[in-house]
Amino acid sequence: MHWALSTFLYGLCTVAPLVVSVCVYNAQTVPGGNKWMDELNQSPLTPKPFVFGVAWTLLYLLVGLSLAVLVHTAVNDPHFGGQWNPLSFFVTGILFYAAQLCANYAYLLVMFRDHDLEAGLKLLYLVLALTAFNILCFAPVSALAAAMLLPYACYLLVAYRLQAYLVANNAETDPEKAGDEAAGSKLQV
């Protein structure tokens, strides 16, 4: 029974983040690609679109595996709850894990549905902060689980840089912002 539960948790922790992210991303894109994103003035460092799909798939697998390793460590470690009480790190780590995934999914919606570059930048900052806290909480329970989040954190730094470039270089091409600014200038006249 213990083996079956552990296997189920591994599967759930590994597959769930990947499936949810693919569903959220696919719901916001069209079969012909994301024309809005393609029309933006993008950083010269922006990778080709297929790289994002491959990179994020691998990163979400690592994120899911990190949670699976954390849960496995907590379930199978006979010293869990000993002198240094990793239970508080475990629970806090799970909360930060859930929060950073929710913020990451919110980023996808804000970017690909709402086309809001500035809100996307703020959400990426939040995801980075939550991921850093997540790593700090995972480390006392499982160094491996924490280490598995490092590639995700590094790629988030790259994504933040690319997003900052979009914000700085696309104010006039953002149709929602241009419409808001035009409406604001009419009201001031």
Side-chain angles (χ1 to χ4, degrees), residues 117-121 162-171:
L117 298 174
E118 290 180 17
L121 185 65
L162 296 175
Q163 186 76 21
Y165 186 95
L166 289 175
V167 169
N169 294 285
N170 288 287

Side-chain angles (χ1 to χ4, degrees), residues 102-172:
C102 289
N104 197 323
Y105 299 147
Y107 167 79
L108 292 172
L109 294 172
V110 163
M111 277 298 293
F112 297 110
R113 184 190 66 198
D114 301 341
H115 301 166
D116 191 337
L117 298 174
E118 290 180 17
L121 185 65
K122 291 173 185 173
L123 277 168
L124 274 178
Y125 184 80
L126 176 63
V127 173
L128 266 167
L130 290 169
T131 301
F133 285 120
N134 195 187
I135 290 168
L136 292 173
C137 290
F138 275 23
V141 180
S142 172
L144 177 59
M148 292 174 86
L149 290 174
L150 292 176
Y152 174 64
C154 290
Y155 202 82
L156 284 171
L157 287 170
V158 172
Y160 185 83
R161 173 64 184 104
L162 296 175
Q163 186 76 21
Y165 186 95
L166 289 175
V167 169
N169 294 285
N170 288 287
E172 68 281 350

Side-chain angles (χ1 to χ4, degrees), residues 38-57:
D38 293 340
E39 292 173 1
L40 292 175
N41 180 12
Q42 297 190 25
S43 166
L45 301 175
T46 302
K48 300 289 182 205
F50 76 90
V51 173
F52 284 104
V54 171
W56 283 109
T57 299

Side-chain angles (χ1 to χ4, degrees), residues 60-71:
Y60 279 126
L61 279 173
L62 275 175
V63 167
L65 282 172
S66 72
L67 181 61
V69 167
L70 183 82
V71 170

Side-chain angles (χ1 to χ4, degrees), residues 1-10 71-72 75-76:
M1 181 66 174
H2 181 64
W3 177 85
L5 177 62
S6 187
T7 303
F8 172 74
L9 288 175
Y10 272 123
V71 170
H72 177 76
V75 168
N76 294 312

